Amino acid sequence: GDVDPVAEADVYLAYGRDLQAEEILKEALRHNPERLSVYVKLAEIYAKRQDRKALEATAQDLQHGNHL
């Protein structure tokens, strides 16, 4: 079966490869925009990176229902 993108991102994050993790999650959202766990993991990456702009954009996507 398919690999869970959140689990795959966690592997990259464990090795400090947050850019690869971010790309996996963004690609996952293109295919499954309803996956809330992907938004949560992206938000964790942005918060850790202290990327307020990206974090706010992710929150707005969720708030405005862009994930549906």
Side-chain angles (χ1 to χ4, degrees):
D2 291 334
V3 176
D4 177 28
V6 175
E8 190 175 357
D10 278 333
V11 171
Y12 281 110
L13 291 171
Y15 290 96
R17 297 171 67 183
D18 65 313
L19 292 177
Q20 286 94 336
E22 180 183 0
E23 286 306 312
I24 287 166
L25 295 169
K26 285 181 176 180
E27 183 66 21
L29 287 179
R30 283 191 277 277
H31 296 290
N32 293 301
E34 72 285 352
R35 290 278 311 267
L36 295 181
S37 61
V38 176
Y39 287 96
V40 171
K41 186 55 68 175
L42 263 178
E44 287 176 16
I45 291 171
Y46 296 145
K48 182 178 176 191
R49 197 187 288 163
Q50 297 185 344
D51 186 342
R52 174 174 278 160
K53 190 173 183 179
L55 186 57
E56 288 176 356
T58 301
Q60 284 182 348
D61 284 348
L62 275 171
Q63 187 177 21
H64 296 309
N66 293 348
H67 62 287
L68 299 175

